[in-house]
């Protein structure tokens, strides 16, 4: 089938899944023990006030009605109000998304670069010392608890060595972030020619990025190695070698593109995981991202915020999967013709 | 996926989506939508133009301050780290500490507490005497029932409108009649009806309290009962929300010493001095305050030690002694009357039996908790009335740790081992730690405790419904008056009396003592009530923690008053 | 041969296969060191878990105010914590809990997931479609967030944490088993069995399921490591484990309070314990996967 129909099919499936996600999380939040109106009203509230707030939050209506209201609002881009920040959920999420996105991108780039290099190297030099070192490092990296690692890195590199700036958000305390355009500090500071800001942003990114990268590189490295190996052992590669074609040319032009498909899936999974924000890292480094927002929302029974967050992640996942599928079909024509 | 099924489902979905969009277009916005939020987080309108406040012809005790050029370069910027963020800015609704400090500084009340600086000016403690603020003077009527406040002239709100007696009346009406808890606060001062507050003329306000209590004055020093601009509120009021509280959640129109410049939810907020404040530019010892949200206590400590922040509240007790030895850090330790207590719901078994409650009181390892969980940074609590309140009687306390007595009492009560669940907030590490000590001690007398760490929302939900049988919580009385404490913590069916202690005799004594003007008689009643209370053992006072604040080495001017409101204007750093 | 005998023969062939790569693995050279090290670690942990009370003389739950924060010594090999409890005793007892949780989580996810996945792949049709959409929905939540949400909804207990993480992992097993099932259900011996008259359920249970389960078993070994990290992560945040029960994640969070002071043993050892356990599981999983990929 043509690319167009393929995309439409995938989108169709995605929309159905997203709808399911919206329903599921809506029901889940209504099942959360504890009436948020109580918490919002406070301990001294008179019963009439609690009733008023319950009505205001729409919690007195039957669940299907509540859902319908929520759903129609959603279609107009209104994700409701977070009562713990008193701001619209959409505003909250989009304000915090750049922080998570920047950290996610940095960690993704680092993990992919290192992972792909090590994995391919290990595959090409199969059985050698390099291969074994990469193997052991992979297992080690994948076995460390992220929160413990973050703590130790802060302790060693900030507290003892002072090699990195303080683990307090994305910039030095007294610095003003540049006014856009993207919200990604590394880009924005350069756009405005703010060199000091750029260095501060990079400095604050280092530790959380490295923590995440250490834990995620093994996943990519393993898949890269496995996939490359499979391709290197395939018939056509053996043939090409037998004929006498150079190995490097082989690796780059023929083996790698074919190996990329499962690697891309893995990279997609890693990126999706990163974009969901990581509450452990964000609270350790006071990183104002969506992970910590989701955790606070959960702890305060902030329904709309929880729902908004899950929906946002769902959309991101769908988008990433779609991109991967499209990349597949570009790399491997067999898929789109299937 | 089979093609037919896929088509059917997707067509259904499309219909649902279209229906939803059409339906949505027809309805009025749901009550939960925000009134057009701005994308930039600047909540306040710009401060009034810096013309001099109108020089009054009336004899004012202070001369109108000259508009000095803001000495921005000279005065330092203070960076503060807190563990909570602003939840909202509405005086009747906010809950977090962070919001409390902000509201105290951007709004203004009639009086303020007088401070006494210590020897090196590091700490300024409130003296429990009050001086005029929004009012420039006040007088008592002959019978002592009415106070007439002369409102200072020339004060303006941040949107340029004048502050008049009407503004204060509006603010107090809002507190009395609006949503929230402020009505109970005003009732304690003796003000229960809006008719008790009358505007005599533009700059004269009279408040009468026939049943005046000693808490009358402090109530008017509370910045949460501030002057507010009626016109602005009316502009943003709706049918459901006559006081405009929704708008005030993200906006400030106040006449206080500071102006909110910026609020980045989840990150920080920034305040700057209001240079048109009646005290003049020299009142302020800093040029800006940046308040950051740093949820992790170790991070805050790290930043303090490395000089990244100037002030933080909330340092783990364990590290206090080490920090005191650190030359880069100053620790302010203030013993105060907050009490952490172990609540036992008097209406839920097995705690409905007074002997069981007394047994628990005997079983608790008070000393261990004070030394090992609080590391000595606190004081024992031996009465419902904290030792720094007048009339407190710490000598009647019989419950020194005695496991044998506890067991005996349990036997008398006929309780042969019990299984209870102890609810604690997982966000308060001291409580979680105390819970483990408590659990261990109670297991020795045959009470099996499982500790349930709860998320705040769930904890407060159950607490507010008085459904928690066994829990750790705390209490701090803003007004240092024993009857204030009795009121919130021990009166029948009172909302914050979470253990549902109820004794009609006790309440009768309360009614007598609240209005008793004779000091000695009042003291006697208070002592009698404390003894009654201890005999009934409604909850276990665990300890009074000290308030621990960490600052940088050059910091000065930590001003704290009876309400634990931080006054930002005094904070500074020596060069 | 009778129908019965025919159907018995493939059993023997089918049953032996899943075990073949284990015995083969022992013989091969590559990865042997890692495999044996991991095996040793895991078996060691299992031993500690089972014989915990015999191994350590101290009560991991009893508080001893006088012995707060003692440094590691001959009396207390890993020092004591803020309640005066012996760290080593707590670590060893925590082994029980953590291993139990990990195995339960993976067991739950593996059993439920594989059965559902196999059934789904075999039966196809509407059941398959619906199940795959449910799985999609479940996988739209990041696993940790899903577990966090469920633990918050269901309440703070070990059982609920197991359920929460187990449900979060189930989709992987469903997908894997279903994928394999789709491959094998049309293989010749299955068709042959059907032709001969073997009931579909028998075919599914005795023949196809064991053949579809291999990738799931490999995934299971990996998942043991993840379950350990996720449990510790949730416990670090305060979910699931009720004091005073010892658990590695909780111990790290309690130890984290001491990161700026001298009591290094309170955070180092629990973190190391997690590392050792996960390393062991990952090492085994790695070797398993290498074997399986070789087979194919």
């Amino acid at each position: 089938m043509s690319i167009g129909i393929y995309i439409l099919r995938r989108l169709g499936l995605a929309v159905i899944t997203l709808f399911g996600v919206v329903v599921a999380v809506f029901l889940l939040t209504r099942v959360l023990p504890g009436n948020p109106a109580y918490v919002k009203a406070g301990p001294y509230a008179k019963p009439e006030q609690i009733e008023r707030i319950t009505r205001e939050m729409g919690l007195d209506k039957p669940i299907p009605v509540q859902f319908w209201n929520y759903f129609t609002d959603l279609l107009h881009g209104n994700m409701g109000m977070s009562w713990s920040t008193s701001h619209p959920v959409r505003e909250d999420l989009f304000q915090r998304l750049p922080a998570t996105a920047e950290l996610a991108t940095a960690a993704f780039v680092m993990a992919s670069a290192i992972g792909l290099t090590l994995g391919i190297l290990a595959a090409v030099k199969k059985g050698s010392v390099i291969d074994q070192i990469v193997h052991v490092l992979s297992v080690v990296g994948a076995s460390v608890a992220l929160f413990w690692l973050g703590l130790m890195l802060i302790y060693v590199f900030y507290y003892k060595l002072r090699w990195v700036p303080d683990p307090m958000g994305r910039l030095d305390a007294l610095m003003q972030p540049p006014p856009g355009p993207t919200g990604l500090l590394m880009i924005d500071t350069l756009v405005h020619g703010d060199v000091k800001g750029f260095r501060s942003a990079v400095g604050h990114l280092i530790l959380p990025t490295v923590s995440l990268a250490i834990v995620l590189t093994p996943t990519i490295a393993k898949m890269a190695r496995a996939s490359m190996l499979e391709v290197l052992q395939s018939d056509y590669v053996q043939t090409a070698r037998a004929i006498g074609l150079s190995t490097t040319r082989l690796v780059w032009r023929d083996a790698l593109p074919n190996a990329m498909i499962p690697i891309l899936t893995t990279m997609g999974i890693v990126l999706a995981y990163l974009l969901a924000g990581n509450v452990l890292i964000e609270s350790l480094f006071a990183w104002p991202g969506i992970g910590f927002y989701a955790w606070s929302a959960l702890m305060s029974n902030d329904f709309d915020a929880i729902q908004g967050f899950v929906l946002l992640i769902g959309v991101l996942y769908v988008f990433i999967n779609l991109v991967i599928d499209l990349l597949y079909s570009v790399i491997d024509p067999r898929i789109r013709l299937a | 996926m089979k093609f037919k099924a896929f088509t059917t489902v997707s067509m259904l979905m499309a219909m649902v989506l279209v229906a939803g969009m059409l339906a949505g277009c027809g309805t009025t916005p749901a009550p939960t939508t925000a009134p057009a939020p701005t994308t930039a987080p600047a909540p306040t309108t710009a401060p009034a133009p810096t013309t001099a406040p109108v020089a009054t012809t009336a004899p004012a005790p202070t001369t109108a301050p000259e508009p000095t050029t803001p000495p921005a370069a000279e005065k330092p910027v203070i960076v503060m780290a807190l563990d909570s963020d602003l939840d909202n800015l509405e005086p009747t609704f906010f809950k977090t500490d962070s919001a409390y400090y902000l509201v105290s500084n951007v709004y203004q009340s009639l009086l303020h507490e007088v401070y006494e600086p210590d020897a090196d000016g590091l700490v300024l403690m409130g003296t429990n005497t009050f001086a005029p603020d929004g009012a420039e003077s006040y007088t008592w009527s002959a019978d002592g029932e009415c106070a007439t406040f002369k409102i200072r002239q020339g004060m303006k709100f941040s949107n340029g409108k004048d502050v008049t007696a009407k503004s204060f009346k509006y603010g107090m009406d809002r507190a009395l009649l609006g949503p929230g808890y402020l009505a109970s606060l005003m009732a304690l001062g003796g003000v229960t009806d809006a008719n008790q507050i009358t505007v005599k003329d533009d700059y004269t306000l009279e408040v009468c309290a026939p049943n005046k209590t000693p808490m009358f004055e402090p109530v008017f020093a509370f910045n949460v009962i501030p002057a507010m601009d009626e016109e602005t509120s009316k502009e943003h009021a709706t049918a459901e929300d006559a006081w405009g509280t929704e708008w005030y959640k993200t906006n400030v129109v106040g006449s206080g010493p500071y102006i909110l410049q910026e609020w980045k939810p989840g990150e920080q907020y920034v305040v700057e001095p209001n240079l048109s404040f009646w005290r003049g530019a020299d009142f302020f010892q800093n040029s800006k305050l940046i308040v950051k949200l740093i949820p992790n206590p170790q991070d805050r400590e790290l930043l303090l030690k490395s000089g990244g922040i100037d002030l933080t509240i909330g340092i783990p007790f364990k590290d206090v002694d080490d920090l005191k030895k650190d030359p880069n850090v100053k620790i302010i330790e203030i013993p105060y009357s907050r009490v952490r207590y172990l609540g036992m719901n008097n209406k839920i078994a097995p705690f409905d039996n007074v002997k069981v409650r007394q047994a628990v009181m005997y079983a608790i390892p008070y000393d261990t908790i004070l030394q090992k969980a609080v590391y000595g940074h606190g004081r024992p609590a031996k009465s419902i009335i904290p030792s720094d309140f007048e009339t407190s009687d710490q000598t009647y306390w019989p419950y020194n740790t005695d496991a044998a007595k506890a067991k005996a009492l349990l036997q008398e009560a006929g309780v042969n081992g019990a299984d209870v669940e102890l609810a604690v907030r997982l966000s308060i590490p001291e409580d979680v730690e105390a819970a483990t000590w408590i659990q261990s001690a109670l297991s020795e007398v045959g009470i099996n405790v499982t500790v349930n760490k709860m998320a705040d929302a769930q904890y407060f939900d159950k607490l507010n419904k008085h459904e928690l049988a066994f829990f750790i919580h705390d209490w701090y009385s803003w007004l240092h008056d024993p009857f204030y404490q009795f009121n919130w913590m021990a009166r029948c069916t009172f909302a914050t009396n979470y253990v549902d202690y109820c004794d009609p005799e006790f309440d009768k004594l309360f009614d007598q003592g609240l209005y008793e003007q004779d000091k000695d008689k009042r003291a006697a009643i208070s002592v009698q009530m404390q003894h009654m209370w201890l005999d009934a053992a409604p909850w276990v006072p665990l300890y009074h923690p000290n308030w621990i604040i960490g600052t940088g080495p050059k910091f000065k001017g930590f001003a704290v008053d009876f309400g634990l409101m931080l006054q930002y204007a005094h904070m500074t750093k020596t060069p | 041969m009778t129908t019965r005998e025919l159907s018995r023969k493939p059993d023997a062939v089918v049953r032996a296969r899943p075990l073949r790569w284990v015995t083969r693995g022992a013989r091969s050279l590559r990865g042997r060191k890692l495999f044996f090290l991991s095996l040793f670690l895991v078996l060691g942990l299992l031993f500690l878990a089972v014989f915990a009370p015999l191994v350590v003389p101290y009560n991991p739950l009893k508080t001893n105010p006088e012995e707060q924060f003692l440094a590691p010594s001959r009396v207390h090999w890993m020092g004591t914590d803020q309640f005066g409890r012996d760290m080593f005793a707590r670590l060893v007892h925590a082994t029980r809990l953590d291993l139990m949780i990990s195995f339960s989580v993976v067991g739950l996810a593996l059993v439920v997931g594989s059965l559902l996945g196999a059934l789904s792949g075999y039966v196809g049709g509407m059941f398959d479609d619906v199940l795959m959409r449910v799985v999609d929905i479940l996988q739209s939540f990041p696993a940790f967030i899903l577990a966090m949400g469920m633990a918050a909804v269901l309440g703070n207990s070990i059982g609920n944490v197991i359920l929460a993480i187990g449900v979060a992992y189930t989709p992987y097993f469903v997908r894997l088993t279903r994928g394999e099932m789709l491959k094998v259900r049309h293989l010749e011996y299955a068709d042959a069995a059907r032709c001969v008259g073997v009931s579909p359920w028998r075919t599914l249970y005795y023949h196809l399921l064991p053949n579809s389960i291999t990738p799931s078993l490999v995934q299971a070994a990996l998942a043991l490591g993840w379950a350990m990290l996720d449990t510790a992560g949730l416990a670090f945040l305060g979910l699931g484990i009720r004091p005073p029960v010892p658990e590695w994640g909780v111990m790290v969070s309690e130890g984290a309070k001491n990161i700026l002071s001298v009591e290094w043993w309170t955070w180092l050892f629990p973190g190391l314990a997690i590392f050792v356990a996960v390393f062991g599981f990952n090492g085994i999983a790695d070797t398993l996967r290498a074997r399986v990929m070789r087979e194919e």
Side-chain angles (χ1 to χ4, degrees), chain A residues 8-13 15-16 19-20 32-36 38-46 49 52-53 55-58 61 68-69 71-73 75-76 78 80-88 91-92 95-96 151 154-155 158-159 162 166-177 282-288 292 295 298-302 304, chain B residues 1 3 6 9-10 13 16-25 27 30-35 37-39 41 77 79 81 85-89 93 95 176-181 183-184 240-241 245-246 249-250 262-268 290 292-296 299 302-303 305-306 308-309 426 454-458 460-461 464-465 475 488 495-496 498:
Chain A
L8 276 177
R9 245 191 93 97
R10 298 293 286 117
L11 270 178
L13 278 172
V15 167
I16 296 178
F19 185 72
L32 272 176
N35 179 356
Y38 252 102
V39 193
K40 188 177 181 188
Y44 317 104
K46 315 182 189 90
Q49 283 161 4
R52 198 204 82 177
I53 293 180
R55 261 181 295 128
E56 220 175 68
M57 295 171 91
K61 306 203 179 68
W68 181 250
N69 287 335
F71 186 62
T72 46
D73 281 341
L75 289 175
H76 283 80
N78 175 6
M81 282 287 264
S82 159
W83 66 263
S84 53
T85 64
S86 310
H87 284 87
E91 207 179 280
D92 277 343
Q95 192 208 344
R96 290 166 172 72
L151 265 175
I154 293 180
Y155 181 72
Y158 171 67
Y159 184 51
R162 287 305 154 87
D166 37 28
M168 179 168 74
R170 304 169 74 192
L171 277 181
D172 288 345
L174 297 176
M175 275 193 195
Q176 278 288 78
E282 287 182 16
S283 79
L284 261 183
F285 292 94
W287 202 261
F292 189 71
W295 166 251
L298 197 59
M299 290 292 110
S300 353
N301 279 17
D302 194 345
D304 283 348
Chain B
M1 198 172 180
F3 191 62
F6 177 63
V9 175
S10 28
M13 283 280 335
V16 167
L17 281 173
V18 170
M21 287 205 250
L22 288 176
C25 292
T27 55
T32 50
T33 50
T38 54
T39 42
V77 175
V79 180
D85 190 20
L86 304 172
D87 55 340
N88 68 71
L89 311 172
F93 264 132
K95 293 231 182 29
L176 262 181
L177 304 170
Y181 65 96
S184 334
E240 279 263 342
D241 178 22
T245 58
E246 281 305 309
K249 282 187 178 163
T250 47
E262 169 192 271
W263 174 22
K264 282 215 207 104
E267 274 186 69
Q268 64 180 39
I290 303 177
K292 288 186 121 29
L293 167 69
I294 313 273
N296 187 312
D299 279 347
L302 261 179
L303 288 165
K305 287 166 95 128
S306 63
I309 52 177
L426 77 86
M454 299 175 78
D456 279 0
Q458 291 161 19
F460 281 115
D461 179 71
N464 291 341
K465 292 189 195 150
W475 177 255
W488 299 90
T496 44
Y498 298 116

Side-chain angles (χ1 to χ4, degrees), chain A residues 16-26 310-311 314, chain C residues 136-137 140-141:
Chain A
I16 296 178
T17 311
L18 276 179
F19 185 72
V21 169
V22 169
V23 172
V25 80
F26 184 86
V310 173
L311 191 60
Chain C
D136 274 345
I137 291 174
S140 305
F141 299 74

Side-chain angles (χ1 to χ4, degrees), chain C residues 225-239:
Chain C
W226 298 341
M228 188 79 71
L229 289 174
D230 281 341
T231 311
L234 284 179
F236 184 77
L237 289 174
L239 290 174

Side-chain angles (χ1 to χ4, degrees), chain C residues 147 150-151 153-166 240:
Chain C
M150 284 190 67
V153 169
L154 298 170
N156 224 359
S157 77
I158 294 180
N160 289 334
V161 163
I162 293 178
L163 188 62
I165 308 181

Side-chain angles (χ1 to χ4, degrees), chain B residues 534-570:
Chain B
L534 273 174
D535 289 335
W539 42 259
V540 187
L542 292 171
Y543 58 91
H544 293 302
N546 292 343
W547 204 22
I548 314 267
I549 296 105
T551 77
K554 303 215 162 92
F555 181 87
K556 278 160 81 100
F558 184 76
V560 59
D561 62 14
F562 68 97
L564 294 185
M565 296 186 276
L566 299 189
Q567 298 302 324
Y568 290 157
H570 306 274

Side-chain angles (χ1 to χ4, degrees), chain B residues 372 437 440, chain C residues 58-59 62-68 76 82-86:
Chain B
K372 301 294 178 183
W437 292 108
S440 179
Chain C
Y58 293 103
N59 183 340
K62 187 161 182 339
T63 58
N64 302 304
E66 303 314 309
E67 309 202 335
Q68 195 186 41
H76 294 283
Q82 74 261 43
F83 297 105
R85 302 177 297 202
D86 181 63

Side-chain angles (χ1 to χ4, degrees), chain B residues 24-343:
Chain B
C25 292
T27 55
T28 50
T32 50
T33 50
T38 54
T39 42
T44 51
T45 49
T50 50
T51 50
V54 174
T56 55
T57 45
T62 55
T63 48
E66 311 272 16
T68 52
T69 46
E74 303 170 12
K75 298 198 180 153
V77 175
I78 304 287
V79 180
M80 190 161 106
L82 294 179
D83 63 353
S84 61
D85 190 20
L86 304 172
D87 55 340
N88 68 71
L89 311 172
E90 162 57 66
T92 58
F93 264 132
F94 70 82
K95 293 231 182 29
T96 64
D97 284 344
S98 191
Y100 183 42
Y101 302 146
L102 178 70
V103 169
S104 315
N105 284 281
V106 295
Y107 283 103
Q108 175 192 36
S109 50
L110 285 168
L111 308 174
H112 70 253
E113 192 172 6
V114 174
Y115 294 113
E116 183 68 43
D118 66 2
D120 21 57
L122 175 60
V123 179
L124 289 84
M125 286 297 293
T127 55
N128 222 25
T129 54
F130 300 93
D133 190 306
E136 64 182 18
S137 66
Y138 60 108
T139 51
W140 293 100
S141 63
D143 54 10
E145 280 186 10
C146 292
T148 307
F149 296 92
K150 276 214 110 37
I151 307 299
R152 205 178 294 276
Q153 298 193 21
M155 300 191 298
K156 290 200 192 286
F157 285 108
S158 51
N159 61 3
K161 303 244 176 72
D162 288 328
V163 177
T164 65
K166 286 219 197 84
S167 321
F168 284 99
K169 158 103 177 128
Y170 180 68
M172 286 193 241
D173 281 355
R174 211 165 180 274
L176 262 181
L177 304 170
Y181 65 96
L182 293 173
S184 334
L185 205 57
M186 295 194 75
L188 277 172
V191 180
T192 49
D193 189 315
N195 293 324
Q196 292 176 251
I197 310 164
T198 40
V199 174
K200 292 290 181 194
D201 63 48
D202 275 352
Y203 292 100
T204 313
L205 186 74
E206 183 185 73
V207 184
C208 292
N211 289 325
K212 191 178 81 161
T213 72
M215 293 181 266
F216 185 70
E217 256 183 307
V219 164
F220 295 108
F222 248 134
N223 290 27
V224 296
I225 308 180
M228 293 193 77
D229 180 30
E230 190 168 356
E231 286 167 33
T232 311
S233 300
K234 292 235 153 69
E235 266 173 57
H236 298 278
T238 67
E240 279 263 342
D241 178 22
W243 303 94
T245 58
E246 281 305 309
W247 186 82
Y248 276 103
K249 282 187 178 163
T250 47
N251 294 279
V252 178
V253 175
S255 53
Y258 276 82
I259 300 205
L260 180 63
Q261 276 305 345
E262 169 192 271
W263 174 22
K264 282 215 207 104
E267 274 186 69
Q268 64 180 39
Y269 68 84
V270 178
V271 288
E272 282 182 2
N274 172 10
L275 294 166
S276 344
F277 191 58
W278 65 271
R279 302 246 233 174
D282 290 335
F283 172 59
F284 301 97
Q285 303 304 311
N286 53 63
S287 59
K288 188 156 54 170
L289 223 90
I290 303 177
V291 182
K292 288 186 121 29
L293 167 69
I294 313 273
N296 187 312
Q298 272 68 44
D299 279 347
R300 295 199 297 276
E301 207 181 306
L302 261 179
L303 288 165
L304 191 64
K305 287 166 95 128
S306 63
I309 52 177
D310 300 307
L311 179 73
T312 183
I313 300 186
I315 296 193
F317 290 114
K318 180 170 167 293
D319 301 333
V320 174
D321 287 332
D322 283 332
L323 282 174
K324 283 186 176 171
K325 299 190 201 130
D326 188 329
N328 245 4
V329 170
K330 279 203 271 205
I331 296 286
I332 301 174
E333 187 164 357
I334 303 178
Y336 69 146
S337 56
R338 184 185 294 276
V339 63
R340 294 216 90 85
Y341 69 93
L342 176 63

